[in-house]
Amino acid sequence: MHPNKISDQIKKSKYISRDLSWLRFNYRVLDQVKNPTKSLFDRLKFLAITASNLDEFFMIRVGSLYNYIDYNKERVDYSGLREMPFRKKLLEFAHRFVNDAYQTYQNELVPLFEKQGFGICKIDELTEIEQRKASYYFKNTIFPLLTPMVFDNYHGFPLLMNQILIFGVVTKTDEAKAQNRLTFIQIPQNLARFYEIQRKDKLIFVPIEEIIRWKIGKLFRNVEVVSVNLFRITRNGDFTLEESDDIDADFIQEIKLKLKTRKKGRVVRVEIERNASQFMLKTLKERWSIDNGNIFSVSNINLIDFKGLWQIIRHTNFKDKLTKQPSPVLPLSLPLEQTDNLFTYLKKRDVLLHHPYNSMEPVVRLLEQAAEDPYVLGIKQTIYRLADQSRVTAALLKAAENGKHVSVLFEVKARFDEERNIKEGEKLEKAGCFVIYGISKYKTHTKMLMIIRKEGEKVTRYIHIGSGNYNEQTSKLYTDISLLTTDETYAHDVSEFFNVITGHSLPNDYQYLITAPKDMRQQIIELIRAEAKNAKKGLASGIVMKMNSLEDKEIIDEFYKASKAGVPVRLIVRGICCLRPGRKGLSENIAVSSIVGEFLEHSRLFYFHNNGESKVYGGSADMMVRSFDRRIEAMFLIVNEDLKREAIKILSYNLKDNQNTYIMREDGAYIKKREAHEKAFNIHREFYKLRVEPEEPIDLFEYCSKERVEAIKEVAPNPE
């Protein structure tokens, strides 16, 4: 398909491609790297994040595309493109991103290294004494770990590992016949990426690959080396499971087997030094059935794999260089004097937590208290991702040791955390916990905790439900919301929900929960339609939704219908957004923004105006097909009026931010929100200043009015 036809097809579609939208998101992360007001180390951090993001994108999204291409299965992208034209567009976009990232690094960041007291140097930039040190390090530490693997008529093609640095060395074996041989040397993962040398005035980081390149002759004695080229491969990491009705030992073994296949998945990307050996490139292309679209050439003055920069970013010499996060503040609904007495306090009042501005400590501490409390009878919890050396796991183990009933649903299909969750689950099983490793064909993504405590003649259930994982580390970096309560209606709903996911119960309708895969999509559609009905009647209406991703076509179509009915819709979508805002006759009343900054926006909050009787939900689900059809998710209604005001305040701050916000245009591009007439408002700082609960109701109608939507369209005009 001609490039112009591809572009026209994309523009005509009323949906934005999920994958192209994701690449736009990574550009917004790259924009943080380009921001000269940030410290160099913050900028390096965001550059490393873009690299990590892109690795996962190629493993999963590009890998998924190749699952269709390799097996001749039909796939039509949201843009309307079939597999091969879409592959062409996607890889072109990815090449442009990679080029922009490397130019930013080389032109904007490297010149700042000297002033910050460090440098990344090659061998010829070292002094004679420093070269001797590097030589000694190679001889005693690196050399014993290197294993050359030759590929020729007598040796098969070796299994090259995913996402590690590899040298391809071409040698001449027969001068008369000019025959070449190809040998691979994989750089050990357990060695630091940089060899460090302390000079008087600065710290020198020497890439380990440059030391190996310098000493490559030690591995090829009496052989002519024709070329030495560094490269790195990314393999398809998108696998599916043959799922049965029961998750048992056989299923766990299947997951372990599938994890091994990830190491052998088809190659979808090769990052390689520019001007690499054509002999080697031809061999790799033929071996892996790839072409120039999969080859990402990198200038020899740049690094391959920016994730290695974490060694510099986290170095003890620079520990004060990263932007310091303020200390967490107490939740508005939890006074300081009550933090050590949560069992008593939660019987009187619900608590809304907003991370990382509020610490996750109250949740972890409640769990730890429950493990030791003689009146606690049992604990039930869903776990998706955990921290290293998790206090959550430690508390559950302690509870089991103390004779309490502990039921844990470990989601072993949590991508890239499968092995960790299997190990943690087995550890809990050995301690006597009742462990379930996922539910049938569904991925359990909901975040729930229930503590059952005997208090006199009755039992009180302490409930925690939220949008984020039970991970003490990421709770300091991700924005999330959650609810602590002993309200009997929540307790009943959550108890019923646990019975569903651990047994075969089919409950009646929940009062405060909306769940997937049962009926979440349909209930959200009904809430959107209710706003459209109000708009048609001339009543006040409005929708504000904050989420990570918006991809489900049925939900998007309902937004389009609501827009046509006159409902003003404000969407805050951090990453993927397949809805096309501001298109005449389709989505004129819809505005979309994305917040990308110091914290990863992970909270999900959903507001429906409801003619002044607002409904506000939080929860674990995004508006995606997988969330509705292939995951166990839960949204919870916030009924306490004080907490509802807090949640609405959170949304209003998100809409007010003008420092981290990008406005999405109708063509799918984003521009930075700049309102010169307004005072700077940075939500990643303002939430730390909240000390008093809002007494008066906040009407989000002001923020999602048609006038506000029109103003946003003026801010983000489409190019002529």
Side-chain angles (χ1 to χ4, degrees):
M1 188 181 285
H2 191 274
N4 289 342
K5 287 188 177 180
I6 291 176
S7 296
D8 289 342
Q9 178 66 52
I10 290 172
K11 288 175 184 175
K12 281 194 301 184
S13 175
K14 67 177 182 177
Y15 307 109
I16 301 284
S17 161
R18 169 180 175 170
D19 296 328
L20 296 179
S21 179
W22 184 91
L23 283 170
R24 297 274 193 192
F25 162 67
N26 216 28
Y27 256 115
R28 298 196 290 282
V29 182
L30 183 62
D31 197 44
Q32 313 306 305
V33 183
K34 297 179 179 183
N35 187 346
T37 66
K38 293 185 181 295
S39 77
L40 170 62
F41 293 89
D42 283 319
R43 296 168 74 179
L44 289 171
K45 176 189 75 174
F46 280 110
L47 185 61
I49 290 170
T50 67
S52 180
N53 287 347
L54 201 61
D55 279 353
E56 184 170 338
F57 178 75
F58 269 90
M59 284 185 68
I60 304 306
R61 296 307 305 163
V62 179
S64 173
L65 177 61
Y66 269 96
N67 286 341
Y68 288 86
I69 293 171
D70 290 343
Y71 297 100
N72 296 314
K73 294 193 292 184
E74 183 176 328
R75 176 187 187 270
V76 180
D77 184 72
Y78 274 21
S79 61
L81 296 175
R82 287 289 303 271
E83 309 84 42
M84 293 309 291
F86 183 70
R87 171 193 173 275
K88 176 179 171 62
K89 181 68 177 179
L90 188 66
L91 292 178
E92 283 176 355
F93 202 152
H95 273 276
R96 189 158 71 247
F97 176 87
V98 169
N99 288 336
D100 286 351
Y102 275 109
Q103 283 185 18
T104 301
Y105 170 74
Q106 190 61 39
N107 299 333
E108 299 183 33
L109 302 187
V110 172
L112 303 176
F113 290 179
E114 187 80 22
K115 286 186 179 179
Q116 295 296 330
F118 75 94
I120 296 178
C121 297
K122 297 206 172 184
I123 297 298
D124 58 6
E125 297 174 275
L126 302 180
T127 66
E128 188 177 335
I129 293 174
E130 289 168 346
Q131 285 185 357
R132 283 204 296 270
K133 288 180 180 178
S135 181
Y136 182 83
Y137 179 66
F138 174 83
K139 179 182 177 181
N140 290 278
T141 303
I142 301 175
F143 182 73
L145 296 174
L146 300 180
T147 304
M149 298 177 291
V150 67
F151 170 57
D152 58 17
N153 294 332
Y154 304 101
H155 302 85
F157 197 90
L159 176 63
L160 300 180
M161 293 181 66
N162 186 41
Q163 295 182 355
I164 71 166
L165 298 175
I166 305 167
F167 273 113
V169 182
V170 179
T171 56
K172 191 174 286 187
T173 58
D174 188 324
E175 199 168 321
K177 297 180 181 178
Q179 291 180 337
N180 289 331
R181 268 188 177 177
L182 182 57
T183 301
F184 300 102
I185 303 168
Q186 302 189 109
I187 298 180
Q189 288 178 291
N190 56 349
L191 292 178
R193 176 66 187 278
F194 298 101
Y195 175 61
E196 299 175 11
I197 300 173
Q198 182 67 59
R199 286 182 183 168
K200 286 183 180 179
D201 55 340
K202 67 178 179 180
L203 186 60
I204 299 300
F205 293 94
V206 185
I208 188 174
E209 60 267 27
E210 294 308 313
I211 298 176
I212 297 171
R213 192 197 305 271
W214 177 43
K215 295 290 185 180
I216 204 78
K218 299 292 184 183
L219 295 159
F220 297 91
R221 299 183 187 277
N222 305 313
V223 175
E224 182 184 349
V225 176
V226 178
S227 68
V228 180
N229 297 117
L230 188 71
F231 68 96
R232 179 177 182 266
I233 63 173
T234 305
R235 294 182 178 275
N236 179 2
D238 183 54
F239 64 76
T240 55
L241 297 165
E242 298 300 323
E243 286 145 343
S244 61
D245 290 334
D246 296 306
I247 301 288
D248 53 22
D250 291 337
F251 183 80
I252 299 301
Q253 290 307 312
E254 186 193 347
I255 290 178
K256 291 179 179 178
L257 186 63
K258 289 286 187 180
L259 291 174
K260 291 179 181 177
T261 68
R262 213 178 243 168
K263 298 175 182 177
K264 301 177 183 179
R266 76 106 69 225
V267 173
V268 293
R269 175 179 62 161
V270 177
E271 300 162 88
I272 193 166
E273 291 175 328
R274 198 163 291 161
N275 302 318
S277 160
Q278 289 302 308
F279 169 74
M280 184 179 77
L281 273 176
K282 183 173 182 290
T283 303
L284 298 183
K285 286 179 183 178
E286 290 175 353
R287 184 74 193 180
W288 293 325
S289 301
I290 56 177
D291 58 27
N292 287 337
N294 306 93
I295 306 293
F296 289 75
S297 297
V298 176
S299 168
N300 288 3
I301 61 173
N302 281 317
L303 295 168
I304 292 179
D305 185 14
F306 287 133
K307 296 203 303 294
L309 292 169
W310 282 113
Q311 182 180 340
I312 299 173
I313 298 162
R314 292 171 172 158
H315 198 279
T316 53
N317 284 26
F318 312 124
K319 61 183 179 182
D320 296 326
K321 299 287 188 178
L322 283 170
T323 297
K324 283 194 174 178
Q325 185 178 328
S327 298
V329 296
L330 277 169
L332 298 179
S333 44
L334 182 61
L336 176 62
E337 64 272 14
Q338 300 295 337
T339 54
D340 291 322
N341 197 21
L342 286 169
F343 282 128
T344 302
Y345 184 72
L346 288 174
K347 285 192 290 184
K348 302 174 186 174
R349 176 159 187 192
D350 294 350
V351 172
L352 186 73
L353 298 169
H354 186 203
H355 311 297
Y357 315 104
N358 307 143
S359 171
M360 191 182 168
E361 190 66 21
V363 181
V364 178
R365 194 177 300 169
L366 184 69
L367 195 52
E368 289 173 338
Q369 289 175 356
E372 301 283 2
D373 190 301
Y375 299 105
V376 168
L377 304 175
I379 300 170
K380 297 185 178 184
Q381 188 170 15
T382 60
I383 292 177
Y384 193 71
R385 298 190 197 278
L386 286 171
D388 295 325
Q389 269 114 66
S390 169
R391 286 170 61 192
V392 171
T393 303
L396 294 173
L397 287 169
K398 178 62 71 176
E401 288 170 10
N402 289 337
K404 304 180 191 310
H405 171 82
V406 178
S407 298
V408 181
L409 192 151
F410 257 107
E411 184 44 77
V412 290
K413 290 171 286 188
R415 186 173 283 144
F416 304 125
D417 274 344
E418 298 98 340
E419 288 181 274
R420 181 209 298 263
N421 284 0
I422 289 172
K423 287 177 182 175
E424 291 295 295
E426 289 173 346
K427 190 191 301 182
L428 289 171
E429 266 192 311
K430 288 176 183 176
C433 301
F434 175 55
V435 178
I436 300 170
Y437 294 101
I439 303 296
S440 181
K441 59 187 177 182
Y442 302 112
K443 186 179 284 189
T444 305
H445 190 249
T446 190
K447 329 296 182 183
M448 280 189 188
L449 166 67
M450 181 167 68
I451 296 167
I452 304 102
R453 188 172 189 257
K454 192 173 189 311
E455 296 174 351
E457 295 299 315
K458 66 172 190 172
V459 166
T460 302
R461 291 171 287 189
Y462 294 81
I463 303 298
H464 177 258
I465 181 169
S467 65
N469 297 307
Y470 290 102
N471 185 320
E472 308 96 285
Q473 294 167 350
T474 58
S475 71
K476 298 174 183 177
L477 305 170
Y478 295 6
T479 71
D480 274 303
I481 59 110
S482 63
L483 175 72
L484 282 165
T485 182
T486 57
D487 181 285
E488 268 300 304
T489 305
Y490 287 113
H492 173 268
D493 283 1
V494 170
S495 186
E496 286 288 300
F497 192 68
F498 271 113
N499 289 338
V500 169
I501 62 178
T502 61
H504 294 282
S505 172
L506 294 173
N508 296 322
D509 291 340
Y510 302 105
Q511 291 190 58
Y512 291 167
L513 294 185
I514 297 176
T515 66
K518 184 172 181 277
D519 57 3
M520 184 177 284
R521 180 189 283 113
Q522 192 54 42
Q523 288 205 43
I524 292 170
I525 286 173
E526 291 303 322
L527 288 164
I528 297 171
R529 286 176 178 173
E531 295 301 315
K533 287 177 184 176
N534 283 342
K536 288 175 182 177
K537 292 176 184 177
L539 301 174
S541 64
I543 298 171
V544 180
M545 296 178 72
K546 175 178 170 61
M547 66 199 90
N548 298 333
S549 305
L550 171 58
E551 174 250 2
D552 186 80
K553 280 186 178 180
E554 290 185 53
I555 296 293
I556 291 172
D557 287 343
E558 288 300 326
F559 280 136
Y560 289 154
K561 291 174 186 175
S563 173
K564 291 176 184 177
V567 180
V569 179
R570 293 291 306 274
L571 303 174
I572 309 154
V573 188
R574 182 198 76 214
I576 299 162
C577 181
C578 298
L579 176 146
R580 196 182 287 278
R583 174 169 283 189
K584 191 173 181 181
L586 179 70
S587 53
E588 291 169 284
N589 292 315
I590 303 176
V592 178
S593 59
S594 170
I595 295 176
V596 179
E598 189 60 31
F599 302 128
L600 185 79
E601 295 294 326
H602 194 251
S603 50
R604 289 97 166 181
L605 270 173
F606 312 104
Y607 165 93
F608 302 91
H609 189 275
N610 197 32
N611 193 31
E613 299 293 326
S614 61
K615 292 183 178 179
V616 183
Y617 291 85
S620 60
D622 287 309
M623 301 296 105
M624 302 185 75
V625 172
R626 70 183 188 192
S627 296
F628 298 139
D629 297 339
R630 301 193 297 275
R631 286 187 170 188
I632 294 174
E633 305 270 18
M635 289 167 49
F636 57 94
L637 181 66
I638 300 175
V639 293
N640 179 285
E641 288 299 324
D642 292 335
L643 301 193
K644 187 195 288 190
R645 281 196 294 271
E646 284 187 45
I648 292 172
K649 184 78 169 178
I650 291 170
L651 287 172
S652 71
Y653 270 33
N654 275 263
L655 295 172
K656 193 176 178 182
D657 175 87
N658 55 22
Q659 301 298 298
N660 309 283
T661 298
Y662 295 79
I663 304 298
M664 184 181 181
R665 301 190 312 200
E666 186 267 345
D667 64 354
Y670 289 77
I671 67 167
K672 192 76 182 282
K673 180 181 180 182
R674 302 189 191 283
E675 299 183 22
H677 62 285
E678 290 187 3
K679 183 180 177 182
F681 192 90
N682 183 342
I683 59 166
H684 295 158
R685 291 292 170 262
E686 293 296 330
F687 278 122
Y688 285 107
K689 300 176 184 177
L690 278 177
R691 292 291 185 273
V692 182
E693 293 179 51
E695 294 179 2
E696 296 298 322
I698 300 167
D699 192 351
L700 277 181
F701 184 70
E702 174 194 346
Y703 290 95
C704 63
S705 65
K706 293 181 183 180
E707 290 75 19
R708 281 291 187 121
V709 173
E710 286 297 325
I712 288 169
K713 285 156 66 178
E714 290 295 321
V715 170
N718 284 310
E720 295 298 328

